[in-house]
Amino acid sequence: MKRLILATIAALIAIPVLSQEAEEITRILKKTTADRADFSYLVASDAGFDGTPEEAYAWCARFGTFPSAGVPSAPATAKIISHFFMKNYGLKGGFMWSLTGNARYAYKELKYSGFWKPGTDPDAVFSGRDLVRAVRDFYVRYPDARLVDKEAEK
């Protein structure tokens, strides 16, 4: 009987949480211009963070890979996404990426690895659908990549 009650309570808590996440992803998918808060939400959700896109942006901003003058509503671009992935997931790159750690070279590394389709503009603004597809493709292409939290390692 105890197990049934605990299972019922867990289900009552889990269903609203899962529906909120589904609603948020549906909202992102419908957007014609995805922003950095949307990107942060997808990344942070994968890492187990639970919050709004703006809270997820603040959580991801602590990694220091978004431009210092960046705001959550700034568009998500291939260059920004590439830089976040390369720097925070510990992906190895070539000489210029290793030397500079620059967003430009992060984009080039992922482009030449085949992650970005040929002709993808590094400064092109993503739609919500394109953003979700890019994040999904990253996790499919790099299944062992894990977000490296340098703050927690200290």
Side-chain angles (χ1 to χ4, degrees), residues 78 107 110-112 114-126:
Y107 166 76
L110 289 180
K111 176 183 170 188
Y112 294 124
F115 178 73
W116 296 117
K117 292 179 182 172
T120 301
D121 181 4
D123 294 313
V125 177
F126 281 34

Side-chain angles (χ1 to χ4, degrees), residues 43-138:
V43 169
S45 294
D46 180 67
F49 180 84
D50 186 26
T52 66
E54 288 73 23
E55 292 169 338
Y57 178 83
W59 186 82
C60 287
R62 70 190 173 95
F63 291 101
T65 50
F66 291 133
S68 58
V71 292
S73 60
T77 63
K79 191 166 37 174
I80 293 293
I81 292 167
S82 298
H83 190 235
F84 191 91
F85 282 151
M86 289 289 292
K87 190 140 190 149
N88 297 312
Y89 282 84
L91 301 179
K92 304 294 181 213
F95 177 72
M96 290 304 289
W97 164 251
S98 300
L99 183 66
T100 66
N102 187 300
R104 175 181 183 209
Y105 295 109
Y107 166 76
K108 287 185 174 202
E109 289 295 332
L110 289 180
K111 176 183 170 188
Y112 294 124
S113 75
F115 178 73
W116 296 117
K117 292 179 182 172
T120 301
D121 181 4
D123 294 313
V125 177
F126 281 34
S127 69
R129 184 171 301 281
D130 292 338
L131 177 65
V132 170
R133 189 176 296 133
V135 172
R136 181 207 61 206
D137 290 350
F138 177 80

